[in-house]
Amino acid sequence: DAKTTQPNSMESNEEEPVHLPCNHSTISGTDYIHWYRQLPSQGPEYVIHGLTSNVNNRMASLAIAEDRKSSTLILHRATLRDAAVYYCILRDVQGTSYGKLTFGQGTILTVHP
Amino acid sequence: EAGVAQSPRYKIIEKRQSVAFWCNPISGHATLYWYQQILGQGPKLLIQFQNNGVVDDSQLPKDRFSAERLKGVDSTLKIQPAKLEDSAVYLCASSLARGDSYEQYFGPGTRLTVT
C-alpha cells in the first residue's frame, strides 16, 4: 500500500484557517487522495477526496500539488468541533485491495478557543 | 438517513473467552468493512464484504477471528478465544459500493477490553 506522511500534531486557534499537510511521494497514477477525520470516541468520518485537481466541499478544501507528491487539507475557519485526528489516505483502486482504506497515524489537531 | 449501527458499545471479557460483535450497515450499502483500532493507532482493516461474499480478509487472524454477512445485510465478527492483545475498538463501516468515489460510513464502534 502507498504510504503517507503527516505531522503527529498541529495546533490552531478558533476561527483561523488550518492547513494540514500530507506527503505521499510514492503515489501511483491511479491512487486517489482521501481525508477522513476521527472525533474523540467516534468512528472516522469522510472529509474530502481528489485525484489531480483541487477540490472544495462544505467541510474543507483539498489542494493537490502538481506532481501529486503532496497535498494539503484546508479548514477555512477552525471551530472547536474540528478538533480531531485527521487521516490522509491513498485509496487503492486496483486488484483485491480495490476500495480499501489504509489508515496511518494521522495528525492530531488541537483547536484553542 | 440512519447511520451504521453497532452493538454492544462496550464489552469486557477474560482472555480465552469468546465474544461477538454485531453490525447493521446503512440500508442499500453493498460493501461492509470491519476494522480494528488499537489505542493510539489508526484503524486497520480486518475484512471486507461485497454483498455476502468476502473480497479481502488478508489481515484477519483466521485462527481466532471469524466474520459473516448473511443475506448481504447484517454482519457479525467473532473472536474465539480472545487474547489480551485483542483489546481494541472494533469499527464497522459500509459504503454503497467498492468504487473509489464511494465514501465509507463508520459506526460508533465496540470497545473491547480483554483482562
Side-chain angles (χ1 to χ4, degrees):
Chain A
D1 295 321
K3 189 173 178 179
T4 62
T5 304
Q6 300 177 251
N8 290 332
S9 62
M10 291 186 65
E11 297 187 17
S12 174
N13 295 317
E14 204 174 7
E15 299 191 3
E16 289 184 356
V18 180
H19 291 232
L20 296 165
C22 181
N23 288 318
H24 28 78
S25 57
T26 59
I27 191 170
S28 73
T30 55
D31 285 332
Y32 280 73
I33 302 159
H34 283 246
W35 284 81
Y36 279 72
R37 72 179 186 181
Q38 188 169 22
L39 279 64
S41 301
Q42 295 187 26
E45 64 175 348
Y46 169 82
V47 177
I48 200 167
H49 79 280
L51 182 62
T52 56
S53 302
N54 294 344
V55 184
N56 300 296
N57 67 20
R58 63 175 179 80
M59 287 182 70
S61 295
L62 176 60
I64 301 173
E66 200 168 326
D67 63 5
R68 300 211 326 126
K69 293 185 177 182
S70 66
S71 60
T72 303
L73 178 71
I74 303 166
L75 306 179
H76 295 286
R77 291 184 64 201
T79 70
L80 296 178
R81 196 194 170 277
D82 292 321
V85 180
Y86 286 78
Y87 296 99
C88 171
I89 301 164
L90 299 184
R91 193 165 188 186
D92 204 327
V93 295
Q94 296 181 348
T96 57
S97 298
Y98 182 45
K100 175 180 175 180
L101 291 175
T102 301
F103 290 82
Q105 293 289 102
T107 296
I108 300 171
L109 175 66
T110 301
V111 180
H112 299 289
Chain B
E1 177 181 81
V4 176
Q6 291 188 246
S7 68
R9 291 295 310 278
Y10 306 91
K11 189 74 177 179
I12 302 173
I13 62 172
E14 295 182 352
K15 60 183 178 183
R16 292 188 288 274
Q17 286 186 323
S18 62
V19 64
F21 312 124
W22 174 82
C23 173
N24 181 235
I26 292 173
S27 177
H29 280 196
T31 313
L32 186 145
Y33 312 80
W34 282 102
Y35 290 83
Q36 179 193 59
Q37 186 171 24
I38 293 172
L39 187 65
Q41 299 181 16
K44 181 183 83 171
L45 180 69
L46 292 176
I47 189 167
Q48 177 180 350
F49 292 92
Q50 181 68 17
N51 295 310
N52 60 349
V54 176
V55 295
D56 185 357
D57 62 357
S58 57
Q59 297 197 84
L60 186 72
K62 299 180 187 62
D63 58 334
R64 299 184 300 105
F65 285 65
S66 64
E68 61 182 8
R69 190 184 184 196
L70 300 177
K71 302 180 182 178
V73 182
D74 294 6
S75 177
T76 56
L77 176 69
K78 297 178 181 178
I79 307 174
Q80 182 180 7
K83 293 185 175 182
L84 295 176
E85 58 261 36
D86 298 331
S87 294
V89 175
Y90 291 85
L91 295 159
C92 179
S94 70
S95 63
L96 270 173
R98 291 177 71 197
D100 186 79
S101 294
Y102 298 104
E103 63 186 89
Q104 293 185 21
Y105 294 83
F106 285 78
T110 297
R111 182 176 298 277
L112 173 68
T113 302
V114 182
T115 63

